[in-house]
Amino acid sequence: MADYEVLRVFCGPGGEHGNELGVVRDGAAVPDEAQRQAFARELGFSETVFVDDPEQGAIDIYTPGLRLPFAGHPCVGAAWLLRADRLVTAAGTVRVRHDGEFTRIEARPEWAPTRTTRQYGSAAEVDALEVPPPGEWVYAWAWQDEPAGTVRARAFPGRGDGIDEDEATGAAALLLTAELQRDLTITQGLGSQLVTALRDGGFIEVGGRVRRV
């Protein structure tokens, strides 16, 4: 097995929670797509990143079951680890900025995988949800404080790959921001935090805290 690091991305204000991410800094150690898919499946994180060119920020992203052209928490985590000012993904070039405790990326909504965003009447309703059966990728959300732009969310990938609930999901936060057309602060899962903002040219910024495990 190649060497890898584990990060937690979109941590809460005290550094707690966050979504675990596997990062293989030496992507050449796992050279082809089939090997990378098998490696990601063996690690079992919601996503694993392979760094193909650290200077250019070229990365390759996998869930346990498929390759993704773009995903939010892998990009935020890789940008933090590499101290990159951009990343090159299969979907396109992702702009990066480092802002104190937050690492923020900019991407286009159409780069994100399809998600079903489903609004509920209250945060308590979202908290009470059971994991749905596999079949549909659902981002369940409710306003905590609509004027302030704060949201409670949970994510259910529905892929049947062992990840029943995603602790923090940058791509879904990006899609919700594009849908609502406003900046958001999202508390997801057990207490992970994501911040988003509308940017020029149809880009959406997604950011959060990253910690090593």
Side-chain angles (χ1 to χ4, degrees):
M1 179 176 284
D3 291 336
Y4 65 95
E5 299 181 54
V6 182
L7 309 177
R8 288 185 292 110
V9 183
F10 300 125
C11 297
E16 69 279 16
H17 307 303
N19 198 358
E20 288 190 325
L21 173 71
V23 182
V24 179
R25 279 187 184 255
D26 180 13
V30 190
D32 65 51
E33 187 171 334
Q35 289 175 310
R36 291 181 176 191
Q37 188 65 78
F39 191 92
R41 186 179 304 113
E42 185 172 355
L43 289 185
F45 300 123
S46 59
E47 277 106 8
T48 297
V49 170
F50 300 86
V51 180
D52 289 322
D53 186 334
E55 292 187 4
Q56 295 297 317
I59 62 172
D60 197 18
I61 305 167
Y62 291 77
T63 75
L66 72 159
R67 182 174 184 252
L68 295 177
F70 166 82
H73 105 271
C75 286
V76 171
W80 178 88
L81 185 65
L82 300 174
R83 299 305 296 174
D85 59 8
R86 69 169 189 167
L87 296 171
V88 180
T89 70
T93 299
V94 175
R95 293 179 285 195
V96 177
R97 70 184 179 100
H98 304 278
D99 176 23
E101 64 179 331
F102 290 95
T103 297
R104 305 173 191 261
I105 63 164
E106 285 188 26
R108 303 189 67 86
E110 57 265 31
W111 295 351
T114 301
R115 306 282 188 255
T116 297
T117 58
R118 187 168 294 160
Q119 185 177 5
Y120 288 81
S122 68
E125 289 180 59
V126 174
D127 290 339
L129 291 172
E130 299 287 338
V131 175
E136 185 179 23
W137 212 117
V138 175
Y139 196 58
W141 71 278
W143 290 113
Q144 289 181 310
D145 183 337
E146 186 171 357
T150 59
V151 165
R152 174 72 177 119
R154 292 174 66 194
F156 305 107
R159 295 186 299 249
D161 61 2
I163 309 298
D164 293 331
E165 181 168 355
D166 214 5
E167 174 61 25
T169 316
L174 184 154
L175 290 172
L176 183 62
T177 301
E179 180 181 318
L180 298 176
Q181 281 296 292
R182 59 178 298 181
D183 302 354
L184 301 172
T185 298
I186 300 170
T187 300
Q188 186 179 325
L190 296 174
S192 300
Q193 188 177 79
L194 305 88
V195 292
T196 72
L198 300 171
R199 292 290 180 246
D200 293 338
F203 283 83
I204 305 290
E205 183 177 76
V206 181
R209 305 172 186 86
V210 185
R211 299 288 187 271
R212 279 188 171 87
V213 172

